[in-house]
Amino acid sequence: KPEAIPALNCTAVENNPYYWKSEIFLNDQNEFSLVAHNSVKSFSDLKISFIKRAESGVSKLTDADIPLIAYLTLITKQAAGWVGNKHKIIPISDVKVELNFGFPVESFQKTASLEKFEKAVRIASFLAETRVAINFENVSKIVARSSDELPSVNTQFTIIPEIVAAVTGFANSSESRRGEYIIIDIGGLSIDFAFFSIREYPDNGQINFGIASAGSKKHGVEILRNSGLEDIHMQNLLLQHISVIIKDAYEKISYNDVAWRDKELNIFLTGG
């Protein structure tokens, strides 16, 4: 069954045991670490900064992107190490690793930021397969070579819209119930939202889900905070987005005799 990999105590956000901080540290030996022990420098807001650089026209990977690549590498190695330590009786030959990386929905249509993120993910996957030290020099060498040719990797990796990842996680969990739902993912730069249904195949009883409507708007927390607007503006924006996706979903699936009057609709709020 699916298992969530717990965060280390010192890396958990607000004492949430499964919510990792988006932060990485550099020690005096120029080695990266997920913990702050002997660190001389820290890097945070990794994804937001990465997307801003890409959307401002910096399409090639640079030294500024190294902390993000190092973070993706170390979080992957941490996950693999945790699984291997917990399930020691499973032979390594029977283990198949697939990596799924989330990315904002609005940036999923082959934008500059998505293409750049694909390069970063490939390098991180390559480094996770090696035994080299994850330090600034080693990552920088791979980044420099990537401008001519990206490294080949054995691990299968996929980049998927973050909202799909969130929906999939709930649909496959023990809390999953048949019905209609709305999920709203509030991030730093964007708000991603979707109306989805969890249903059951009539022939075998297996659960699956379908997204009836979805979207993304650049109304994230960082943008709201920098705009000087009050919370009431965020409330109005959320109400507008919810109304739009419900209307779109109604137009698409109402012919299936879905009972809309007096309907209870569960809404999930997620995000950092």
Side-chain angles (χ1 to χ4, degrees):
K1 65 178 182 179
E3 293 182 83
I5 297 175
L8 305 175
N9 290 336
C10 57
T11 67
V13 177
E14 298 178 356
N15 297 320
N16 186 320
Y18 300 104
Y19 189 6
W20 290 77
K21 291 180 182 178
S22 179
E23 188 174 17
I24 193 167
F25 303 92
L26 197 66
N27 64 21
D28 53 7
Q29 303 296 317
N30 260 355
E31 294 177 332
F32 287 103
S33 174
L34 296 175
V35 297
H37 183 65
N38 290 334
S39 67
V40 295
K41 193 173 183 179
S42 66
F43 304 88
S44 57
D45 293 329
L46 301 174
K47 184 171 61 176
I48 292 175
S49 301
F50 179 89
I51 293 175
K52 283 182 176 179
R53 286 192 298 271
E55 293 184 347
S56 66
V58 185
S59 58
K60 291 185 177 182
L61 292 171
T62 68
D63 283 355
D65 303 309
I66 287 177
L68 171 75
I69 295 172
Y71 180 84
L72 294 175
T73 302
L74 291 179
I75 207 76
T76 299
K77 291 169 81 73
Q78 168 71 20
W82 182 88
V83 173
N85 187 60
K86 184 175 181 181
H87 301 281
K88 295 179 180 179
I89 63 172
I90 300 178
I92 191 66
S93 58
D94 293 341
V95 176
K96 180 181 180 181
V97 177
E98 297 180 3
L99 304 176
N100 293 321
F101 297 90
F103 207 68
V105 171
E106 195 169 46
S107 300
F108 199 65
Q109 302 300 322
K110 279 298 178 181
T111 59
S113 56
L114 176 59
E115 292 184 357
K116 187 175 179 179
F117 189 64
E118 287 178 338
K119 297 176 183 177
V121 166
R122 177 174 287 275
I123 292 174
S125 300
F126 171 77
L127 288 169
E129 294 176 354
T130 68
R131 293 183 178 273
V132 301
I134 308 304
N135 56 37
F136 200 95
E137 181 182 8
N138 288 339
V139 180
S140 181
K141 287 179 181 178
I142 303 298
V143 168
R145 290 203 296 263
S146 70
S147 59
D148 298 323
E149 183 179 2
L150 289 170
S152 59
V153 296
N154 298 317
T155 307
Q156 179 181 333
F157 67 87
T158 307
I159 300 175
I160 58 178
E162 287 178 341
I163 200 70
V164 174
V167 170
T168 303
F170 173 72
N172 291 330
S173 75
S174 59
E175 301 296 321
S176 174
R177 300 291 184 273
R178 283 172 291 179
E180 284 72 40
Y181 300 86
I182 285 177
I183 188 166
I184 302 173
D185 183 14
I186 303 176
L189 294 181
S190 66
I191 299 175
D192 300 334
F193 42 89
F195 183 107
F196 66 100
S197 300
I198 295 180
R199 57 224 177 183
E200 189 177 281
Y201 285 117
D203 54 342
N204 56 22
Q206 289 187 345
I207 297 295
N208 77 325
F209 72 93
I211 297 178
S213 61
S216 178
K217 296 291 183 182
K218 289 191 175 181
H219 296 148
V221 176
E222 290 291 331
I223 293 176
L224 180 72
R225 183 168 61 186
N226 295 334
S227 69
L229 299 176
E230 298 180 357
D231 289 348
I232 187 66
H233 294 284
M234 177 67 89
Q235 295 171 21
N236 290 334
L237 287 170
L238 287 174
L239 179 59
Q240 292 174 24
H241 298 333
I242 292 173
S243 300
V244 168
I245 61 174
I246 291 176
K247 180 176 182 293
D248 290 345
Y250 175 80
E251 293 175 350
K252 291 179 181 177
I253 66 177
S254 60
Y255 63 86
N256 288 329
D257 295 326
V258 175
W260 288 84
R261 187 177 298 278
D262 299 324
K263 186 177 187 62
E264 182 178 290
L265 192 60
N266 290 311
I267 298 178
F268 291 91
L269 288 174
T270 67

